[in-house]
Amino acid sequence: DILIFSGGVYIQHAKKIVPQSNWPGKIAVTLVALVLFLGTIQITVLRSFFRYAMWASVVMMVWSVVTYAQRLFIGRHIETVK
């Protein structure tokens, strides 16, 4: 999340635009909240669900970072072509 935030701040300053949030990032935040909730209540029956939610949140965070990185590099390419 810190990497995504830092990339967004960089895009904002370098390109003078505010990067739009993306769906993988929104899903990742929701899954992180679910993981925190499940980790707090610690119900034994939900332990495997907790693991799946945790790994799904990691996958979605990586997908979100890749999406932001694509925006950054595509934006750079467009600026250099002009």
Side-chain angles (χ1 to χ4, degrees):
D1 281 344
I2 291 172
L3 183 62
I4 293 170
F5 176 74
S6 300
V9 169
Y10 175 77
I11 292 170
Q12 184 176 4
H13 288 296
K15 309 211 178 288
K16 305 297 185 221
I17 59 171
V18 177
Q20 182 179 1
S21 63
N22 57 31
W23 280 105
K26 292 176 182 183
I27 295 169
V29 167
T30 303
L31 288 169
V32 168
L34 179 64
V35 166
L36 289 173
F37 176 72
L38 292 174
T40 301
I41 61 173
Q42 294 187 1
I43 297 176
T44 315
V45 177
L46 298 175
R47 188 170 298 262
S48 62
F49 183 66
F50 170 78
R51 280 192 211 111
Y52 290 125
M54 183 177 62
W55 284 109
S57 70
V58 170
V59 168
M60 293 308 292
M61 281 188 271
V62 169
W63 187 3
S64 182
V65 166
V66 168
T67 302
Y68 276 111
Q70 286 176 336
R71 287 182 190 174
L72 174 63
F73 293 122
I74 288 171
R76 275 191 185 167
H77 179 67
I78 290 170
E79 286 181 2
T80 56
V81 171
K82 288 183 180 178

